[in-house]
Amino acid sequence: MVWKCEGREEIESQVDSGHARLHELGYKQELKRDLSVLSNFAFSFSIISVLTGVTTLYNTGLTYGGPVAFIYGWVITAFFTMFVGLSMSEICSSYPTSGGLYYWSARLAGHKWAPFASWMTGWFNIVGQWAITTSVDFSLAQLLQVIILLSSGGNNGGGYKASKYVTIALHGGILLSHAILNSLPISLLSFLGQIAAAWNVLGVFVLMIAIPTVATERASVKFVFTHFNTENDVGIHSKLYIFVLGLLMGQYTLTGYDASANMTEETKNADKNGPRGIISAIGISILVGWAYLLGVTFAVTNIPNLLNPENDAGGYAIAEIFYQSFKSRFGSGIGGIICLGVVAVAVYFCGMSSVTSNSRTAYAFSRDGAMPFSWLWHRVNKQDVPIYAVWLSVSVSFCMALTSLGSLVAFQAMVSIATIGLYIAYALPIFLRVTLARKTFIPGPYNLGRYGVVVGWVAVLWVTTITVLFSLPVAYPITRDTLNYTPVAVGGLLILTVSSWILSGRHWFKGPVTNVQT
């Protein structure tokens, strides 16, 4: 069989199933289809990056419940996240396009609602992805600042503590390097993505063994599995309330696996390998993430000290654990700093892959004319890379991080979109699949059979639940500095998206636009 398509598509003697399905959906092959199932998995796995999520929000876990909250909370969030991933995989198999979520919503909503559904999903998805990149790279800048602090003597030894301007400059430099890497051919990014996946697995394995082994004082098994921390400075003492707030660490970590869907137009046999990438990335992340949590927590003996901003790491809990474990054993914390370097490399790879996913979503969304200056963002260079979408993604992410100069509260409001906003984008097409498209959905090679609707409803209800939970106050009394701005940020995005649709989008946006004759 031979397909002959328009433009720069190659004539293939044996049609790739993802290529053929893309043609059936009405799109020509513009991006280079060069990724294997391993590479597809690697992008999602390196974005989930348990070393990134757990390290970044370990302070949150210790504050809201401690060991019990994040050891068992991880299991709960992992269980329900898998339902979300299974439902997304089923839809991905039927619609393997770079547009991913917003394209799925258009196809599942039916002709009447397709433009509005794809508009809402697309904007929540792309803004959520920009926020993910912002939070990941800013977290890396903060981690580098802590590494510099400890390397120069620590908080109590005259160490250098970077200002907010130095931190934002580090953030900008990291984003710049990610933009340069993402301007290179996808074959190189594929190789780096596989290195990133291996680094995450090996890094977890090394750290979960090294830290509790080196530590001269270790927590007991009883402490790790039964201690519930209610000693905090946030004025919350209800154990149930504390526990649900502690779920944020696990849910924030298990985010970003839509990258496998966003990379489908560059993945071989994407109708099969895209779903495999999603499920395997979630499953392996669940296992290695729990192992990392256990390993680190066995080195926890004094929670108030770890959270104290006057400690050597300036209150950065995992950095203090690593540093003091080696210092107490060998008289020097250099080994702990090296361990932090292992984490920093993982976070760097996470940000790199996040930009890759961002740019593919922007490319697809602009291909259908949904973004200002769409004609520019969906252009590809000689290496079949959406170069302008890459630089757009890093530029927007840098602008988001600038809010940190005003206050970290404003910045946290911005990046809260990363978890809730992105999960809303995940849930919208799933909701449409189990409602409007319940009887019309045509599954692809990967499907859940008769369980598809049940799994989908569980996924939708879970996203609804976490949206409510993560919008609750996180400290009492509620003041300007302690207010949880998550509902403000997500609500603001909702208002802007709906308003732009009513005032402008509904007059010209018709949903996904095909560019070949099917």
Side-chain angles (χ1 to χ4, degrees):
M1 179 183 289
V2 175
W3 283 105
K4 188 174 182 180
C5 302
E6 297 180 18
R8 291 154 48 194
E9 292 185 70
E10 298 179 354
I11 299 175
E12 301 183 6
S13 58
Q14 185 176 4
V15 178
D16 176 280
S17 61
H19 179 109
R21 181 57 179 153
L22 183 67
H23 189 274
E24 290 173 8
L25 295 174
Y27 291 109
K28 61 183 179 179
Q29 185 72 46
E30 294 181 304
L31 303 177
K32 190 173 183 180
R33 194 175 290 275
D34 209 26
L35 300 182
S36 64
V37 62
L38 177 61
S39 298
N40 182 280
F41 149 80
F43 276 107
S44 279
F45 184 70
S46 59
I47 291 178
I48 294 175
S49 182
V50 295
L51 288 176
T52 299
V54 173
T55 301
T56 300
L57 290 186
Y58 198 74
N59 278 50
T60 299
L62 286 178
T63 301
Y64 298 103
V68 165
F70 50 64
I71 294 298
Y72 299 107
W74 181 271
V75 175
I76 293 171
T77 56
F79 177 77
F80 287 106
T81 296
M82 185 57 78
F83 278 85
V84 179
L86 286 169
S87 291
M88 288 174 63
S89 296
E90 182 180 53
I91 302 172
C92 178
S93 181
S94 184
Y95 309 122
T97 73
S98 289
L101 307 177
Y102 88 90
Y103 182 87
W104 302 350
S105 289
R107 292 297 295 255
L108 295 167
H111 179 73
K112 180 179 179 181
W113 291 102
F116 179 67
S118 59
W119 179 271
M120 295 298 296
T121 305
W123 278 110
F124 264 91
N125 188 24
I126 197 166
V127 174
Q129 287 187 8
W130 285 335
I132 282 285
T133 301
T134 303
S135 64
V136 169
D137 281 6
F138 193 81
S139 296
L140 177 55
Q142 291 178 314
L143 179 57
L144 291 177
Q145 181 266 317
V146 172
I147 291 174
I148 294 170
L149 173 65
L150 292 173
S151 300
S152 56
N155 199 36
N156 297 309
Y160 172 74
K161 192 168 186 177
S163 68
K164 60 183 179 181
Y165 299 103
V166 173
T167 302
I168 201 70
L170 284 172
H171 174 73
I174 294 164
L175 279 172
L176 178 62
S177 69
H178 285 157
I180 293 171
L181 285 176
N182 275 277
S183 300
L184 301 175
I186 190 61
S187 56
L188 177 59
L189 286 176
S190 171
F191 175 69
L192 292 175
Q194 292 179 41
I195 292 177
W199 187 275
N200 270 275
V201 173
L202 292 175
V204 166
F205 180 76
V206 170
L207 294 176
M208 67 176 284
I209 294 175
I211 299 304
T213 300
V214 170
T216 54
E217 294 184 28
R218 302 182 190 88
S220 65
V221 173
K222 181 180 179 181
F223 177 88
V224 172
F225 288 99
T226 66
H227 181 73
F228 194 89
N229 180 43
T230 56
E231 300 298 321
N232 53 60
D233 296 325
V234 295
I236 299 174
H237 303 290
S238 165
K239 288 189 175 182
L240 178 60
Y241 198 167
I242 290 173
F243 184 83
V244 297
L245 291 178
L247 295 177
L248 177 62
M249 183 182 72
Q251 201 63 74
Y252 172 82
T253 303
L254 297 174
T255 303
Y257 43 85
D258 58 313
S260 288
N262 298 330
M263 303 301 293
T264 49
E265 287 187 35
E266 294 162 273
T267 301
K268 300 172 184 176
N269 300 313
D271 52 343
K272 305 180 186 71
N273 290 336
R276 289 170 181 162
I278 293 172
I279 296 303
S280 58
I282 296 173
I284 295 176
S285 294
I286 289 171
L287 295 176
V288 299
W290 203 61
Y292 182 48
L293 271 173
L294 283 175
V296 171
T297 305
F298 270 106
V300 172
T301 56
N302 189 334
I303 293 176
N305 178 63
L306 293 177
L307 296 174
N308 187 348
E310 300 302 318
N311 64 31
D312 278 319
Y316 200 118
I318 279 190
E320 182 71 8
I321 292 171
F322 289 5
Y323 186 74
Q324 292 300 336
S325 294
F326 278 86
K327 189 174 182 179
S328 62
R329 172 72 65 177
F330 303 108
S332 170
I334 187 64
I337 296 172
I338 293 172
C339 288
L340 288 175
V342 171
V343 176
V345 173
V347 181
Y348 184 82
F349 280 135
C350 177
M352 178 199 73
S353 297
S354 183
V355 172
T356 308
S357 181
N358 290 180
S359 61
R360 272 51 179 185
T361 302
Y363 157 80
F365 207 32
S366 60
R367 179 175 60 186
D368 292 320
M371 298 176 64
F373 306 105
S374 287
W375 59 271
L376 179 63
W377 312 130
H378 80 269
R379 292 176 60 183
V380 297
N381 64 10
K382 295 179 180 179
Q383 286 76 40
D384 297 327
V385 172
I387 188 72
Y388 297 104
V390 167
W391 287 88
L392 170 68
S393 296
V394 298
S395 298
V396 172
S397 295
F398 181 70
C399 291
M400 282 184 163
L402 290 176
T403 57
S404 68
L405 296 177
S407 78
L408 285 176
V409 173
F411 174 72
Q412 291 300 328
M414 183 69 69
V415 299
S416 64
I417 301 172
T419 301
I420 298 302
L422 207 52
Y423 264 94
I424 289 174
Y426 292 174
L428 286 173
I430 298 174
F431 176 73
L432 294 170
R433 185 260 181 268
V434 299
T435 54
L436 295 180
R438 179 171 181 171
K439 296 181 179 179
T440 59
F441 175 71
I442 301 175
Y446 171 88
N447 64 84
L448 302 174
R450 60 180 179 175
Y451 300 106
V453 173
V454 174
V455 171
W457 273 116
V458 173
V460 170
L461 291 175
W462 175 246
V463 174
T464 303
T465 300
I466 62 173
T467 299
V468 174
L469 294 181
F470 298 158
S471 297
L472 296 173
V474 296
Y476 288 93
I478 300 174
T479 66
R480 183 180 63 181
D481 294 327
T482 62
L483 178 67
N484 182 0
Y485 285 88
T486 297
V488 177
V490 177
L493 176 59
L494 176 64
I495 292 171
L496 286 173
T497 305
V498 173
S499 298
S500 63
W501 170 257
I502 294 173
L503 298 175
S504 177
R506 66 189 179 93
H507 298 297
W508 51 267
F509 182 66
K510 305 304 179 185
V513 179
T514 58
N515 57 17
V516 299
Q517 296 296 321
T518 57

